[in-house]
Amino acid sequence: MSQDNEYVPPKIWKWEKANGGQFASINRPIAGPTHDKALPVGKHPLQLYSLATPNGVKASVMLEELLALGHAGAEYDAWLIRIGEGEQFGSGFVEVNPNSKIPALMDHSTTPPTRVFESGSILLYLAEKFDELLPRDPAGRTETLNWLFWQVGSAPYLGGGFGHFYAYAPTKIEYAIDRFAMEAKRQLDVLDRRLAESRYLGGDTYTIADIANWCWYGQLALDRVYDAGEFLQVQEYQHVQRWAREIDARPAVQRGRMVNRTFGPLEQQLHERHDASDFETSTQDKR
């Protein structure tokens, strides 16, 4: 870039134009609702409002894992939130998550109902509520939470950093892509080194740390995120590959990936989920 074309930031930034790119229509510098819309409520105590993005899948995979473990109380209704159409800015959704991001969960088994937002918080809330997928011993619990919060802190560099500039930005910027590709590969190496010494991230058992990280880095390793597998040479991370394939084979993970999914083959989509039988009887939008 020549010096004549170099962007010079003003003293005070003002929102005077859309930033372009795939998500320009839903990006704005203020919070709060843009329209009134109540959220639907189904028959189960747990109500999930989501979309099958890497963050959204965390919640549905967790719920399906709990059901697979025999927890009838983990039955849930899943409602599709179309973020590309701005449904996360409806007044009902903003009441559940003032940050207007999916997933969001309402637990109506408590009085008053409990709202849970941010995917890491949802995983921890459900793990503690059902006493599953989080070790009880202090050392195991701490190591699991180490990797859960590592994912929460690291994934924005993968998604909002690498993913945005590599796949979604209206202009390909070499500096930005190089910067975040370097970070994405560093993060994969962090995971690969950990998984070289441990079957799962928290230790010998599958936990919420694996769910959180698999939904981002496992799917990246399986070349399902940003169509960037070849670019990042994800096959080089052999221990991540082993871990990613093992988790991908879990039936609960396969079901969880379908929930609130609106893309890909129809047989992999379940726009809404209200009962376990929905997986067998519907691939169409019921709304």
Side-chain angles (χ1 to χ4, degrees), residues 26 28 30-40 49-50 81-83 85-106 114-118:
I26 63 171
R28 60 197 183 115
I30 55 175
T34 60
H35 59 281
D36 290 329
K37 185 177 181 180
L39 289 176
Y49 305 96
S50 193
I81 301 296
R82 295 178 175 88
I83 62 175
E85 299 176 19
E87 292 183 350
Q88 70 276 31
F89 299 119
S91 57
F93 189 90
V94 174
E95 287 179 6
V96 181
N97 184 357
N99 195 38
S100 293
K101 303 290 184 182
I102 58 91
L105 181 75
M106 284 296 295
T114 300
R115 73 176 186 182
V116 196
F117 61 90
E118 294 299 322

Side-chain angles (χ1 to χ4, degrees), residues 103-284:
L105 181 75
M106 284 296 295
D107 183 357
H108 292 271
S109 71
T110 66
T111 304
T114 300
R115 73 176 186 182
V116 196
F117 61 90
E118 294 299 322
S119 56
S121 181
I122 291 173
L123 290 177
L124 183 56
Y125 178 83
L126 292 172
E128 293 182 333
K129 180 180 180 71
F130 294 99
D131 193 22
E132 295 283 5
L133 301 172
L134 179 61
R136 296 178 181 177
D137 66 287
R141 177 186 171 88
T142 299
E143 188 66 11
T144 296
L145 294 181
N146 286 342
W147 289 103
L148 172 64
F149 291 117
W150 179 88
Q151 185 278 316
V152 170
S154 297
Y157 293 96
L158 174 60
F162 172 76
H164 175 77
F165 287 106
Y166 180 77
Y168 302 134
T171 302
K172 302 299 183 187
I173 303 172
E174 181 180 6
Y175 171 80
I177 293 173
D178 282 352
R179 169 67 181 86
F180 289 110
M182 180 187 305
E183 176 62 11
K185 289 183 70 67
R186 189 194 70 82
Q187 292 176 2
L188 285 168
D189 193 42
V190 170
L191 291 174
D192 203 58
R193 290 168 185 264
R194 169 58 178 167
L195 292 166
E197 62 186 19
S198 179
R199 181 180 178 184
Y200 296 110
L201 290 171
D204 294 332
T205 59
Y206 175 70
T207 69
I208 56 174
D210 298 291
I211 294 174
N213 280 277
W214 182 88
C215 291
W216 278 100
Y217 299 96
Q219 296 203 90
L220 179 66
L222 297 171
D223 201 12
R224 295 175 181 163
V225 181
Y226 308 126
D227 194 23
E230 181 179 9
F231 182 74
L232 295 175
Q233 291 292 280
V234 295
Q235 73 278 1
E236 294 179 350
Y237 304 95
Q238 297 180 6
H239 304 291
V240 173
Q241 288 289 333
R242 181 268 305 163
W243 167 82
R245 290 192 295 269
E246 180 177 349
I247 294 175
D248 190 53
R250 297 178 68 91
V253 172
Q254 295 171 9
R255 291 192 298 272
R257 285 189 64 234
M258 291 176 61
V259 176
N260 297 142
R261 188 177 180 89
T262 60
F263 50 91
L266 277 177
E267 63 271 16
Q268 297 179 10
Q269 298 183 27
L270 187 66
H271 294 191
E272 291 183 2
R273 190 264 192 218
H274 305 289
D275 190 84
S277 62
D278 291 347
F279 291 106
E280 302 172 0
T281 61
S282 177
T283 58
Q284 301 299 319

